[in-house]
Amino acid sequence: SWSLVLTGVLFSFIACSDDEREEIPESSKVVSEISFNDTDKTYEKIGGILSWKAPEKLQESIDGYVIYLSENENAKGTKIGEVDAVELSFTIPSGTTYKEYIQVVVKRGELEDSEFVSEAIVDRTNTVGYYVLNRGNWKENNASIGYMDMLTGEYTTNFYKKVNGNDLGDSAQDIIRYGSKLYVTVSTSNRLLVLDETGKLLKEHRPLTTAGEDVQPRYLTAHDGHVYVSYFYGHAVAKLDTVDLEIKATVPVGTYPEQIKVSSNKLYVANSGYGSENTLSVIDLTSFQEEKKIEVVINPSLIEVDEQGDLFVISMGDYVDIKNTLQKIHISSGVVETIGNATIMCLHNNDLYTVYAQWGETQIEALGFVKFDTKTGTASDTNFIKDGTEIANPNSIDVDPSSGEIYIADYDYAATNDIYIFGSDGKLHKKLDTEGYYTGKVLFWLD
């Protein structure tokens, strides 16, 4: 669903009756100030009150207005209703199939005017906007966060700097929302930030190891009033209280921990070992102590948890003989099952979207876009991109939980990165220039 509001575009149209064809002069005036706020939050369905302003001239000859929805801004599509001349609004029934453009056409007698304004409308879902985390190029201090307002279609670049007056830092790693706040890690700058939804800094932590070295905070997750963060060089996980925004405790885990997730009051931590370790630490959140480790393929980095509480883990391997490997951990039995190859992934309902882009191999040969059924652990779609769109260096994947749209960032070190936005049907809807470098995550804000 697009959050675009376009300036009205004027088109001519020749109206016909059954017995004759008459061209209405193009100098006729059209309606203006078309306004529509979608109140149906179902994806690709709309509903709500459409309103407009009558033409300034020739109002005395108007007999009514006809409303159309169209996929083409140049032509009328499907007629959805009409009203008398005294009416300047129309109620679109909830559940009406969304089309990108709407037209209100003046009717005089049995004929419709040749001119009409085509206006893009917004299919509102529960997603009101999304944040784009750009990690930035290493050691260049150009990490940033962008924000797309889905209601207005306005994309704000580097909104953190605009609000706070300083740079985000070097190597932004993760961003999550919990409650009304945003939590951000900026690893190389050793920053753990708490922001409000406008980007205003509320609290900053620069945690150090016991030896006084930067811990380089990496990944975040939230549960039961706390935010947890992995300390890459601290070889630990910290617990942040979301009320007073203070770090309450840390617990040692394996070496160089990456992503962390919660399942059944247990915190699972991917211990990468900088490519040499092959375990997940399991932390009991009540005692906040490590209770055991689970062995997986070497170099685990990413974790997702499905609706059943089972874990999906991507291990990066050794980049030579051991490939990027996707595994499923059955929580009830503890069984670790290898189910495929993947480099990045994102969970949406019972679907796990994965991208396989093995480092060091020809992208054309190694690239894959596979969707797995989390209940069965088997591939339900071996290529979820259906229109042949090519993405040279896919770097992140996220799915809008409301619409099911798939967002894939394409990495380019020398240029700002693009996000390819696909519908749930696998067809490209739009491409967004993030105006940032090394785009790493899209975080959706739901109302």
Side-chain angles (χ1 to χ4, degrees):
S1 60
W2 307 128
S3 307
L4 299 177
V5 179
L6 303 181
T7 303
V9 183
L10 199 63
F11 302 101
S12 63
F13 177 80
I14 298 177
C16 301
S17 66
D18 291 338
D19 301 315
E20 62 181 348
R21 177 181 295 270
E22 178 181 348
E23 183 175 350
I24 306 298
E26 290 188 350
S27 59
S28 298
K29 297 296 182 179
V30 297
V31 303
S32 59
E33 299 181 19
I34 295 176
S35 175
F36 175 68
N37 180 29
D38 181 23
T39 56
D40 186 326
K41 295 183 180 179
T42 304
Y43 179 56
E44 293 190 339
K45 301 293 182 181
I46 60 172
I49 297 175
L50 169 71
S51 63
W52 58 89
K53 184 178 179 180
E56 295 180 1
K57 296 182 180 181
L58 302 177
Q59 294 189 43
E60 68 280 356
S61 64
I62 295 175
D63 293 296
Y65 301 95
V66 185
I67 296 90
Y68 290 87
L69 289 174
S70 179
E71 296 176 348
N72 186 345
E73 64 178 347
N74 300 316
K76 299 175 188 177
T78 303
K79 177 181 174 180
I80 60 171
E82 59 181 284
V83 295
D84 294 333
V86 295
E87 301 290 339
L88 295 176
S89 66
F90 176 78
T91 300
I92 298 177
S94 183
T96 298
T97 298
Y98 167 75
K99 293 185 179 181
E100 188 173 358
Y101 297 99
I102 195 165
Q103 297 112 6
V104 181
V105 184
V106 172
K107 184 178 181 182
R108 306 174 196 274
E110 295 300 318
L111 298 177
E112 297 175 13
D113 275 8
S114 60
E115 297 178 354
F116 63 89
V117 174
S118 188
E119 192 81 11
I121 61 174
V122 176
D123 173 20
R124 276 209 60 189
T125 64
N126 286 323
T127 303
V128 298
Y130 57 83
Y131 298 89
V132 177
L133 184 71
N134 300 303
R135 293 174 179 170
N137 296 327
W138 188 59
K139 293 293 187 179
E140 293 189 14
N141 197 44
N142 58 358
S144 64
I145 303 173
Y147 179 71
M148 171 63 81
D149 186 326
M150 299 281 277
L151 304 182
T152 66
E154 181 180 359
Y155 181 67
T156 302
T157 61
N158 210 354
F159 88 112
Y160 174 85
K161 184 174 184 178
K162 291 176 181 177
V163 172
N164 297 287
N166 53 63
D167 291 316
L168 186 62
D170 194 337
S171 304
Q173 183 65 34
D174 200 9
I175 181 172
I176 65 169
R177 175 192 177 185
Y178 191 55
S180 61
K181 300 182 184 69
L182 297 169
Y183 299 83
V184 184
T185 55
V186 191
S187 292
T188 303
S189 293
N190 199 49
R191 305 181 76 191
L192 170 58
L193 308 177
V194 185
L195 317 175
D196 68 16
E197 60 187 84
T198 71
K200 180 181 178 181
L201 180 63
L202 302 176
K203 184 76 175 184
E204 176 178 3
H205 291 279
R206 291 180 177 266
L208 301 175
T209 67
T210 54
E213 299 171 339
D214 292 349
V215 302
Q216 294 210 1
R218 296 284 281 180
Y219 284 95
L220 299 152
T221 194
H223 179 71
D224 197 21
H226 293 91
V227 167
Y228 298 92
V229 54
S230 58
Y231 284 175
F232 191 70
Y233 283 115
H235 314 301
V237 170
K239 177 168 67 173
L240 176 73
D241 190 293
T242 58
V243 177
D244 62 15
L245 305 181
E246 296 295 335
I247 295 173
K248 298 300 183 181
T250 59
V251 57
V253 292
T255 58
Y256 303 102
E258 293 280 14
Q259 197 161 36
I260 54 179
K261 293 288 183 178
V262 174
S263 176
S264 302
N265 204 46
K266 308 288 185 183
L267 182 67
Y268 292 83
V269 185
N271 300 315
S272 74
Y274 219 122
S276 64
E277 193 163 341
N278 67 332
T279 66
L280 265 60
S281 288
V282 183
I283 298 172
D284 179 80
L285 290 181
T286 302
S287 64
F288 201 53
Q289 296 293 320
E290 182 186 76
E291 61 179 30
K292 65 177 180 178
K293 285 186 170 72
I294 300 173
E295 289 191 5
V296 293
V297 173
I298 195 170
N299 199 6
S301 297
L302 302 176
I303 306 174
E304 288 284 3
V305 178
D306 69 11
E307 294 179 352
Q308 291 73 45
D310 292 331
L311 275 64
F312 290 84
V313 178
I314 291 178
S315 293
M316 295 304 179
D318 62 7
Y319 305 103
V320 181
D321 299 318
I322 303 175
K323 306 301 183 182
N324 301 165
T325 304
L326 176 64
Q327 303 140 94
K328 179 178 181 178
I329 300 178
H330 301 261
I331 293 300
S332 60
S333 64
V335 171
V336 180
E337 174 190 7
T338 296
I339 63 174
N341 295 100
T343 306
I344 52 177
M345 63 181 169
C346 183
L347 192 64
H348 176 61
N349 297 330
N350 289 312
D351 293 318
L352 184 73
Y353 292 84
T354 69
V355 179
Y356 182 44
Q358 182 68 52
W359 184 86
E361 294 189 7
T362 303
Q363 290 289 54
I364 296 175
E365 297 176 356
L367 197 59
F369 302 89
V370 179
K371 182 169 67 173
F372 290 88
D373 183 329
T374 60
K375 291 183 177 180
T376 64
T378 58
S380 57
D381 192 339
T382 56
N383 187 1
F384 58 78
I385 293 181
K386 301 300 184 183
D387 60 0
T389 298
E390 295 184 359
I391 304 175
N393 297 292
N395 185 62
S396 70
I397 180 169
D398 298 280
V399 179
D400 184 336
S402 179
S403 69
E405 290 178 312
I406 307 161
Y407 289 60
I408 301 177
D410 187 20
Y411 175 66
D412 185 336
Y413 183 88
T416 57
N417 292 181
D418 291 326
I419 292 177
Y420 290 73
I421 304 172
F422 297 87
S424 55
D425 59 359
K427 297 180 180 180
L428 184 66
H429 281 181
K430 187 184 178 184
K431 208 165 64 166
L432 171 72
D433 182 354
T434 67
E435 300 185 43
Y437 296 90
Y438 197 0
T439 300
K441 184 173 181 178
V442 176
L443 173 66
F444 299 95
W445 190 282
L446 308 182
D447 66 3

